[in-house]
Coordinates of all heavy atoms in Angstrom, one line a residue:
M30 N 0.8 -1.2 0.0 CA 0.0 0.0 0.0 C 0.9 1.2 0.0 O 1.9 1.3 0.6 CB -0.9 0.0 1.2 CG -1.9 1.1 1.2 SD -3.0 1.0 2.7 CE -4.4 0.1 1.9
A31 N 0.5 2.3 -0.7 CA 1.3 3.5 -0.8 C 1.2 4.2 0.6 O 0.3 4.1 1.4 CB 0.7 4.4 -1.9
T32 N 2.2 5.1 0.8 CA 2.3 5.9 2.0 C 1.2 6.9 1.9 O 1.0 7.6 0.9 CB 3.7 6.5 2.1 OG1 4.7 5.5 2.2 CG2 3.8 7.4 3.4
I33 N 0.6 7.1 3.1 CA -0.5 8.1 3.2 C 0.0 9.3 4.0 O 0.5 9.0 5.2 CB -1.7 7.5 3.7 CG1 -2.2 6.4 2.8 CG2 -2.8 8.5 4.0 CD1 -3.3 5.5 3.4
D34 N -0.2 10.5 3.6 CA 0.1 11.7 4.3 C -1.1 12.0 5.2 O -2.1 12.5 4.7 CB 0.4 12.8 3.4 CG 0.8 14.1 4.1 OD1 0.5 14.2 5.3 OD2 1.4 15.0 3.5
L35 N -1.0 11.6 6.5 CA -2.1 11.7 7.4 C -2.6 13.2 7.6 O -3.7 13.4 7.7 CB -1.8 11.0 8.7 CG -1.7 9.5 8.7 CD1 -1.5 9.0 10.1 CD2 -3.0 8.9 8.1
D36 N -1.6 14.1 7.6 CA -2.0 15.5 7.8 C -2.8 16.0 6.6 O -3.7 16.7 6.8 CB -0.7 16.3 8.0 CG 0.0 16.0 9.3 OD1 -0.7 15.7 10.3 OD2 1.2 16.2 9.3
T37 N -2.4 15.6 5.4 CA -3.1 16.0 4.2 C -4.5 15.4 4.2 O -5.5 16.0 3.9 CB -2.4 15.6 2.9 OG1 -1.1 16.3 2.9 CG2 -3.2 16.0 1.6
L38 N -4.6 14.1 4.5 CA -5.9 13.4 4.6 C -6.8 14.0 5.7 O -8.0 14.3 5.4 CB -5.7 11.9 4.9 CG -6.9 11.1 4.9 CD1 -7.8 11.2 3.6 CD2 -6.6 9.6 5.2
R39 N -6.2 14.4 6.8 CA -7.0 15.0 7.9 C -7.5 16.4 7.4 O -8.7 16.7 7.6 CB -6.1 15.2 9.1 CG -6.9 15.8 10.3 CD -6.0 16.2 11.5 NE -5.2 15.1 11.9 CZ -5.6 14.1 12.8 NH1 -6.8 14.2 13.4 NH2 -4.8 13.2 13.2
A40 N -6.7 17.1 6.7 CA -7.1 18.4 6.1 C -8.3 18.2 5.1 O -9.2 19.0 5.1 CB -6.0 19.2 5.5
R41 N -8.2 17.2 4.3 CA -9.3 16.9 3.3 C -10.5 16.6 4.0 O -11.6 17.0 3.7 CB -8.9 15.7 2.4 CG -7.9 16.1 1.3 CD -7.7 14.9 0.4 NE -6.7 15.2 -0.5 CZ -6.2 14.3 -1.4 NH1 -6.8 13.1 -1.5 NH2 -5.3 14.6 -2.2
I42 N -10.4 15.7 5.1 CA -11.6 15.4 5.8 C -12.2 16.6 6.5 O -13.5 16.8 6.4 CB -11.3 14.3 6.9 CG1 -10.9 13.0 6.2 CG2 -12.4 14.1 7.9 CD1 -10.3 11.9 7.1
R43 N -11.4 17.4 7.1 CA -11.9 18.6 7.7 C -12.6 19.6 6.8 O -13.4 20.4 7.2 CB -10.8 19.3 8.5 CG -10.5 18.5 9.8 CD -9.4 19.2 10.6 NE -9.2 18.4 11.8 CZ -8.3 18.7 12.7 NH1 -7.5 19.7 12.5 NH2 -8.1 18.0 13.8
S44 N -12.2 19.5 5.5 CA -12.8 20.5 4.5 C -14.1 19.9 3.9 O -14.8 20.6 3.2 CB -11.8 20.7 3.4 OG -11.6 19.6 2.5
M45 N -14.4 18.7 4.2 CA -15.6 18.0 3.7 C -16.8 18.4 4.5 O -16.8 18.7 5.6 CB -15.5 16.5 3.7 CG -14.3 16.0 2.9 SD -14.0 14.2 3.2 CE -15.6 13.5 2.6
D46 N -17.9 18.4 3.7 CA -19.2 18.7 4.4 C -19.9 17.4 4.8 O -20.5 16.8 3.9 CB -20.1 19.6 3.4 CG -21.4 20.0 4.0 OD1 -21.5 20.1 5.3 OD2 -22.4 20.2 3.3
F47 N -19.7 17.0 6.0 CA -20.4 15.8 6.5 C -20.6 16.0 8.0 O -20.1 16.8 8.7 CB -19.5 14.6 6.2 CG -18.3 14.4 7.2 CD1 -18.4 13.5 8.2 CD2 -17.2 15.1 7.0 CE1 -17.3 13.4 9.1 CE2 -16.1 15.0 7.9 CZ -16.2 14.1 8.9
E48 N -21.6 15.2 8.4 CA -21.9 15.2 9.9 C -21.1 14.1 10.6 O -21.3 12.9 10.3 CB -23.4 14.9 10.1 CG -23.8 15.1 11.5 CD -25.3 15.1 11.7 OE1 -26.0 15.4 10.7 OE2 -25.8 14.7 12.8
P49 N -20.2 14.5 11.4 CA -19.4 13.6 12.1 C -20.2 12.7 13.1 O -21.3 13.2 13.5 CB -18.3 14.4 12.9 CG -18.8 15.8 12.8 CD -19.8 15.9 11.8
G50 N -19.7 11.6 13.4 CA -20.4 10.7 14.4 C -20.4 11.3 15.8 O -19.5 12.1 16.1
T51 N -21.3 11.0 16.5 CA -21.4 11.4 17.9 C -20.3 10.7 18.7 O -19.8 9.6 18.3 CB -22.8 11.1 18.6 OG1 -22.9 9.7 18.6 CG2 -23.9 11.7 17.8
P52 N -19.9 11.2 19.9 CA -18.9 10.5 20.7 C -19.4 9.0 21.0 O -18.5 8.1 21.0 CB -18.9 11.3 22.0 CG -19.2 12.7 21.5 CD -20.3 12.5 20.5
E53 N -20.7 8.8 21.2 CA -21.2 7.5 21.4 C -21.0 6.6 20.2 O -20.6 5.4 20.3 CB -22.6 7.5 21.9 CG -22.9 8.2 23.2 CD -22.9 9.7 23.1 OE1 -23.0 10.3 22.0 OE2 -22.8 10.4 24.2
Q54 N -21.3 7.1 19.0 CA -21.1 6.3 17.8 C -19.6 6.0 17.6 O -19.3 4.9 17.3 CB -21.6 7.1 16.6 CG -23.1 7.2 16.5 CD -23.6 8.1 15.4 OE1 -23.1 9.3 15.3 NE2 -24.6 7.7 14.6
V55 N -18.8 7.0 17.8 CA -17.4 6.8 17.6 C -16.8 5.7 18.5 O -16.0 4.9 18.2 CB -16.6 8.1 17.7 CG1 -15.1 7.9 17.6 CG2 -17.0 9.1 16.6
A56 N -17.3 5.7 19.8 CA -16.9 4.7 20.7 C -17.3 3.3 20.2 O -16.5 2.4 20.3 CB -17.5 5.0 22.1
L57 N -18.5 3.2 19.7 CA -18.9 1.9 19.1 C -18.1 1.5 17.9 O -17.7 0.3 17.8 CB -20.4 1.9 18.8 CG -21.4 2.0 19.9 CD1 -22.8 2.2 19.4 CD2 -21.3 0.7 20.8
W58 N -17.8 2.5 17.1 CA -16.9 2.2 15.9 C -15.6 1.7 16.3 O -15.0 0.8 15.7 CB -16.9 3.4 15.0 CG -18.2 3.8 14.4 CD1 -19.3 3.1 14.2 CD2 -18.5 5.1 14.0 NE1 -20.3 3.8 13.7 CE2 -19.9 5.1 13.5 CE3 -17.8 6.3 13.9 CZ2 -20.5 6.2 13.0 CZ3 -18.5 7.4 13.4 CH2 -19.8 7.4 12.9
R59 N -15.0 2.3 17.4 CA -13.7 1.9 17.9 C -13.7 0.5 18.4 O -12.8 -0.3 18.1 CB -13.2 2.8 19.0 CG -12.7 4.2 18.6 CD -12.1 5.0 19.7 NE -12.1 6.4 19.4 CZ -11.1 6.9 18.6 NH1 -10.2 6.2 18.1 NH2 -11.1 8.2 18.4
E60 N -14.8 0.1 19.0 CA -14.9 -1.3 19.5 C -15.0 -2.2 18.3 O -14.3 -3.3 18.3 CB -16.2 -1.4 20.4 CG -16.0 -0.8 21.7 CD -17.3 -1.0 22.5 OE1 -18.1 -2.0 22.3 OE2 -17.6 -0.1 23.4
D61 N -15.8 -1.9 17.3 CA -15.9 -2.7 16.1 C -14.5 -2.8 15.4 O -14.2 -3.9 15.0 CB -16.9 -2.1 15.1 CG -18.3 -2.2 15.6 OD1 -18.6 -3.0 16.6 OD2 -19.2 -1.5 15.1
F62 N -13.8 -1.7 15.3 CA -12.5 -1.8 14.7 C -11.5 -2.7 15.5 O -10.7 -3.4 14.9 CB -11.9 -0.4 14.4 CG -12.4 0.2 13.1 CD1 -13.3 1.2 13.1 CD2 -11.9 -0.2 11.9 CE1 -13.8 1.7 11.9 CE2 -12.3 0.3 10.7 CZ -13.3 1.3 10.7
S63 N -11.6 -2.6 16.8 CA -10.8 -3.4 17.6 C -11.0 -4.9 17.3 O -10.1 -5.7 17.2 CB -11.0 -3.1 19.1 OG -10.2 -3.9 19.9
E64 N -12.3 -5.3 17.2 CA -12.6 -6.7 16.9 C -12.2 -7.0 15.5 O -11.7 -8.2 15.3 CB -14.1 -6.9 17.1 CG -14.6 -6.8 18.5 CD -16.2 -6.9 18.6 OE1 -16.8 -7.3 17.6 OE2 -16.7 -6.4 19.6
S65 N -12.3 -6.1 14.6 CA -11.9 -6.4 13.2 C -10.4 -6.6 13.1 O -9.9 -7.5 12.4 CB -12.3 -5.3 12.3 OG -13.7 -5.2 12.2
R66 N -9.6 -5.8 13.8 CA -8.2 -5.9 13.8 C -7.8 -7.3 14.4 O -6.9 -7.9 13.9 CB -7.5 -4.8 14.6 CG -7.4 -3.5 13.8 CD -6.5 -2.5 14.4 NE -7.0 -2.0 15.7 CZ -7.8 -1.1 16.0 NH1 -8.3 -0.4 15.0 NH2 -8.1 -0.7 17.2
A67 N -8.5 -7.7 15.5 CA -8.2 -8.9 16.1 C -8.4 -10.1 15.2 O -7.6 -11.0 15.0 CB -9.0 -9.1 17.4
N68 N -9.5 -10.0 14.4 CA -9.9 -11.0 13.4 C -8.8 -11.1 12.3 O -8.5 -12.2 11.9 CB -11.3 -10.8 12.9 CG -12.4 -11.1 13.9 OD1 -12.2 -11.9 14.8 ND2 -13.5 -10.5 13.7
L69 N -8.4 -9.9 11.9 CA -7.4 -9.9 10.8 C -6.1 -10.5 11.3 O -5.4 -11.2 10.6 CB -7.1 -8.5 10.3 CG -8.2 -7.9 9.5 CD1 -8.0 -6.4 9.3 CD2 -8.4 -8.6 8.1
A70 N -5.7 -10.2 12.5 CA -4.5 -10.8 13.1 C -4.6 -12.3 13.2 O -3.7 -13.1 12.9 CB -4.2 -10.2 14.5
I71 N -5.8 -12.8 13.6 CA -6.0 -14.3 13.7 C -5.8 -14.9 12.3 O -5.3 -16.0 12.2 CB -7.4 -14.6 14.3 CG1 -7.4 -14.2 15.8 CG2 -7.8 -16.0 14.0 CD1 -8.8 -14.2 16.4
E72 N -6.3 -14.2 11.3 CA -6.2 -14.7 9.9 C -4.8 -14.4 9.3 O -4.7 -14.5 8.0 CB -7.3 -14.1 9.1 CG -8.7 -14.6 9.5 CD -9.8 -14.0 8.8 OE1 -9.6 -13.4 7.7 OE2 -11.0 -14.0 9.3
D73 N -3.9 -13.9 10.1 CA -2.5 -13.6 9.6 C -2.5 -12.5 8.6 O -1.8 -12.5 7.6 CB -1.8 -14.9 9.1 CG -0.3 -14.7 9.0 OD1 0.2 -13.9 9.9 OD2 0.4 -15.3 8.2
M74 N -3.4 -11.5 8.8 CA -3.5 -10.3 7.9 C -3.5 -9.1 8.8 O -4.5 -8.2 8.6 CB -4.7 -10.4 7.0 CG -4.7 -11.6 6.1 SD -6.1 -11.7 4.9 CE -7.5 -11.3 5.8
P75 N -2.6 -8.9 9.7 CA -2.7 -7.7 10.6 C -2.5 -6.4 9.8 O -1.8 -6.4 8.8 CB -1.6 -8.0 11.6 CG -0.6 -8.8 10.8 CD -1.4 -9.6 9.9
L76 N -3.1 -5.4 10.3 CA -2.9 -4.0 9.8 C -1.5 -3.6 10.2 O -1.1 -3.9 11.3 CB -3.9 -3.0 10.3 CG -5.4 -3.3 9.9 CD1 -6.3 -2.2 10.6 CD2 -5.5 -3.2 8.4
D77 N -0.8 -2.8 9.4 CA 0.4 -2.3 9.8 C 0.2 -1.0 10.6 O -0.9 -0.5 10.7 CB 1.4 -2.1 8.6 CG 0.9 -1.1 7.6 OD1 0.1 -0.2 7.9 OD2 1.4 -1.1 6.4
A78 N 1.3 -0.4 11.1 CA 1.1 0.8 12.0 C 0.6 1.9 11.2 O -0.2 2.7 11.7 CB 2.5 1.1 12.5
E79 N 0.9 2.1 9.9 CA 0.4 3.2 9.1 C -1.1 3.1 8.9 O -1.8 4.1 9.0 CB 1.1 3.2 7.8 CG 0.8 4.5 7.0 CD 1.7 4.6 5.7 OE1 1.4 3.8 4.8 OE2 2.6 5.4 5.7
D80 N -1.6 1.9 8.6 CA -3.0 1.7 8.4 C -3.7 1.9 9.8 O -4.8 2.6 9.8 CB -3.3 0.2 8.0 CG -2.8 -0.1 6.6 OD1 -2.7 0.9 5.8 OD2 -2.5 -1.2 6.3
D81 N -3.2 1.4 10.8 CA -3.8 1.7 12.2 C -3.9 3.2 12.4 O -4.9 3.7 12.9 CB -2.9 1.0 13.3 CG -3.6 -0.2 13.8 OD1 -4.8 -0.5 13.5 OD2 -2.9 -0.9 14.6
A82 N -2.8 3.9 12.1 CA -2.8 5.4 12.3 C -3.9 6.0 11.5 O -4.6 7.0 11.9 CB -1.4 5.9 12.1
M83 N -4.0 5.6 10.2 CA -5.0 6.2 9.3 C -6.4 6.0 9.9 O -7.2 6.9 10.0 CB -4.9 5.6 7.9 CG -6.0 6.2 7.0 SD -5.9 5.4 5.3 CE -6.4 3.7 5.7
F84 N -6.8 4.8 10.3 CA -8.1 4.5 10.8 C -8.3 5.2 12.1 O -9.4 5.8 12.3 CB -8.3 3.0 11.0 CG -8.5 2.3 9.7 CD1 -7.6 1.3 9.3 CD2 -9.6 2.6 8.9 CE1 -7.8 0.7 8.0 CE2 -9.8 1.9 7.7 CZ -8.9 1.0 7.2
A85 N -7.3 5.3 13.0 CA -7.5 6.0 14.2 C -7.7 7.5 14.0 O -8.6 8.1 14.6 CB -6.2 5.8 15.1
M86 N -7.0 8.1 13.0 CA -7.2 9.5 12.7 C -8.6 9.7 12.2 O -9.3 10.7 12.6 CB -6.1 9.9 11.7 CG -6.3 11.4 11.2 SD -7.5 11.8 9.9 CE -6.8 10.9 8.6
M87 N -9.1 8.8 11.3 CA -10.4 9.0 10.8 C -11.5 8.9 11.9 O -12.4 9.7 11.9 CB -10.7 8.0 9.7 CG -10.0 8.4 8.4 SD -10.7 7.5 6.9 CE -9.4 6.4 6.6
L88 N -11.3 8.0 12.8 CA -12.2 7.9 13.9 C -12.1 9.2 14.8 O -13.1 9.7 15.3 CB -11.9 6.7 14.8 CG -12.3 5.4 14.2 CD1 -11.8 4.2 15.0 CD2 -13.9 5.3 14.0
D89 N -10.9 9.7 15.0 CA -10.8 11.0 15.8 C -11.6 12.1 15.1 O -12.1 13.0 15.8 CB -9.3 11.4 15.9 CG -8.5 10.5 16.7 OD1 -9.0 9.7 17.5 OD2 -7.2 10.6 16.7
E90 N -11.7 12.0 13.8 CA -12.4 13.1 13.0 C -13.9 12.8 12.9 O -14.6 13.5 12.3 CB -11.8 13.3 11.7 CG -10.4 13.8 11.7 CD -10.3 15.2 12.3 OE1 -11.2 16.0 12.1 OE2 -9.3 15.4 13.0
G91 N -14.3 11.6 13.5 CA -15.7 11.3 13.5 C -16.2 10.7 12.2 O -17.5 10.7 11.9
V92 N -15.3 10.2 11.4 CA -15.7 9.6 10.1 C -16.4 8.2 10.3 O -15.8 7.4 11.0 CB -14.5 9.5 9.2 CG1 -14.9 8.8 7.8 CG2 -13.9 10.8 8.9
S93 N -17.5 8.0 9.7 CA -18.2 6.7 9.9 C -17.5 5.6 9.1 O -16.8 5.9 8.1 CB -19.6 6.8 9.4 OG -19.7 6.9 8.0
P94 N -17.6 4.4 9.5 CA -17.0 3.3 8.7 C -17.4 3.3 7.2 O -16.5 3.1 6.4 CB -17.5 2.0 9.4 CG -17.7 2.5 10.8 CD -18.2 3.9 10.7
A95 N -18.6 3.5 6.9 CA -19.1 3.6 5.5 C -18.4 4.7 4.8 O -18.0 4.5 3.6 CB -20.6 3.8 5.5
M96 N -18.2 5.8 5.4 CA -17.5 6.9 4.7 C -16.0 6.7 4.6 O -15.4 7.1 3.6 CB -17.8 8.2 5.5 CG -17.3 9.5 4.8 SD -17.7 10.9 5.7 CE -16.8 12.1 4.9
M97 N -15.5 5.9 5.5 CA -14.1 5.5 5.4 C -13.8 4.7 4.1 O -12.8 5.0 3.4 CB -13.6 4.7 6.6 CG -13.5 5.4 7.9 SD -12.9 4.3 9.2 CE -13.2 5.3 10.6
V98 N -14.7 3.8 3.8 CA -14.6 3.0 2.6 C -14.5 3.9 1.4 O -13.7 3.8 0.5 CB -15.7 2.0 2.5 CG1 -15.7 1.3 1.1 CG2 -15.6 1.0 3.6
T99 N -15.4 4.9 1.3 CA -15.5 5.8 0.2 C -14.2 6.6 0.1 O -13.6 6.8 -0.9 CB -16.7 6.7 0.3 OG1 -17.9 5.9 0.4 CG2 -16.8 7.7 -0.8
L100 N -13.7 7.1 1.3 CA -12.5 7.9 1.3 C -11.3 7.1 0.8 O -10.5 7.6 0.0 CB -12.2 8.5 2.7 CG -13.1 9.6 3.2 CD1 -12.9 9.9 4.7 CD2 -12.8 10.9 2.4
I101 N -11.1 5.9 1.4 CA -10.0 5.1 1.0 C -10.0 4.8 -0.5 O -9.0 4.8 -1.2 CB -10.0 3.8 1.9 CG1 -9.6 4.2 3.3 CG2 -8.9 2.8 1.4 CD1 -9.8 3.2 4.3
H102 N -11.2 4.4 -1.0 CA -11.4 4.1 -2.4 C -10.9 5.3 -3.2 O -10.3 5.1 -4.3 CB -12.8 3.7 -2.7 CG -13.0 3.3 -4.1 ND1 -12.5 2.2 -4.7 CD2 -13.7 4.0 -5.1 CE1 -12.9 2.2 -6.0 NE2 -13.6 3.3 -6.2
G103 N -11.3 6.5 -2.8 CA -11.0 7.7 -3.6 C -9.5 8.1 -3.5 O -9.1 9.0 -4.2
L104 N -8.8 7.5 -2.6 CA -7.4 7.9 -2.4 C -6.5 7.4 -3.5 O -5.4 7.9 -3.8 CB -6.8 7.4 -1.1 CG -7.2 8.1 0.2 CD1 -6.7 7.3 1.4 CD2 -6.8 9.5 0.2
Y105 N -6.9 6.3 -4.1 CA -6.0 5.6 -5.1 C -6.4 5.7 -6.5 O -7.6 5.6 -6.8 CB -5.9 4.1 -4.7 CG -5.3 3.9 -3.3 CD1 -6.1 3.8 -2.2 CD2 -3.9 3.9 -3.2 CE1 -5.5 3.7 -0.9 CE2 -3.3 3.8 -1.9 CZ -4.2 3.7 -0.8 OH -3.6 3.6 0.4
Q106 N -5.4 5.9 -7.4 CA -5.7 5.9 -8.8 C -5.8 4.4 -9.2 O -5.0 3.6 -8.9 CB -4.5 6.5 -9.5 CG -4.3 8.0 -9.2 CD -3.0 8.6 -9.8 OE1 -2.3 7.8 -10.4 NE2 -2.8 9.8 -9.6
P107 N -6.9 4.1 -10.0 CA -7.1 2.7 -10.4 C -5.9 2.1 -11.0 O -5.3 2.7 -11.9 CB -8.3 2.8 -11.3 CG -9.0 4.1 -11.0 CD -7.9 5.0 -10.5
G108 N -5.5 0.9 -10.5 CA -4.4 0.2 -11.1 C -3.0 0.7 -11.0 O -2.1 0.1 -11.4
A109 N -2.9 1.8 -10.3 CA -1.5 2.4 -10.2 C -0.9 2.3 -8.8 O 0.3 2.5 -8.7 CB -1.6 3.9 -10.5
N110 N -1.6 1.8 -7.8 CA -1.1 1.8 -6.4 C -0.5 3.1 -6.0 O 0.5 3.1 -5.3 CB -0.1 0.7 -6.3 CG -0.7 -0.7 -6.1 OD1 -1.9 -0.8 -5.8 ND2 0.0 -1.7 -6.4
Q111 N -1.0 4.2 -6.5 CA -0.5 5.5 -6.2 C -1.7 6.3 -5.6 O -2.8 6.2 -6.0 CB 0.0 6.2 -7.4 CG 1.3 5.6 -8.0 CD 1.7 6.3 -9.2 OE1 1.2 7.3 -9.6 NE2 2.8 5.8 -9.8
L112 N -1.3 7.2 -4.7 CA -2.3 8.1 -4.2 C -2.8 9.1 -5.2 O -2.0 9.6 -6.0 CB -1.8 8.9 -2.9 CG -1.5 8.0 -1.7 CD1 -0.9 8.9 -0.6 CD2 -2.7 7.3 -1.2
A113 N -4.1 9.3 -5.2 CA -4.6 10.3 -6.1 C -4.2 11.7 -5.6 O -4.1 12.0 -4.5 CB -6.1 10.2 -6.2
A114 N -4.0 12.6 -6.6 CA -3.6 14.0 -6.2 C -4.7 14.8 -5.6 O -5.9 14.5 -5.7 CB -3.1 14.7 -7.4

């Protein structure tokens, strides 16, 4: 996976018009991600530190899991393994 500039991604998220999750929602999402990370580790597919940091930052910004998928998909140029400008 390509290196992600978390500061740039955070700035993009902050410039977006979306309703962040409530503290209660974010707490639930953190629990869900913790379980997901554990399952990935069991399946010998653990997240690396950079991926962990990206997901943690998005949760800090109140990004919902569904919106995370859209953001991550939009980061990459198809077939190039490069971050989109």
Side-chain angles (χ1 to χ4, degrees):
M30 186 177 266
T32 300
I33 297 169
D34 181 344
L35 291 181
D36 292 330
T37 300
L38 182 56
R39 184 185 307 271
R41 284 186 187 177
I42 290 169
R43 288 182 176 176
S44 72
M45 297 171 64
D46 184 23
F47 76 100
E48 187 172 332
T51 65
E53 294 80 14
Q54 288 173 313
V55 172
L57 289 173
W58 297 336
R59 283 187 198 283
E60 287 178 31
D61 291 344
F62 274 103
S63 179
E64 291 175 19
S65 295
R66 281 192 299 272
N68 289 335
L69 287 171
I71 289 168
E72 295 176 19
D73 199 27
M74 299 184 314
L76 294 178
D77 64 21
E79 188 173 74
D80 292 333
D81 255 349
M83 178 184 65
F84 287 116
M86 179 276 297
M87 285 197 250
L88 286 171
D89 290 345
E90 295 298 321
V92 176
S93 72
M96 188 173 169
M97 286 181 193
V98 172
T99 302
L100 286 170
I101 292 168
H102 180 72
L104 286 176
Y105 296 95
Q106 298 173 355
N110 282 342
Q111 294 179 0
L112 293 177

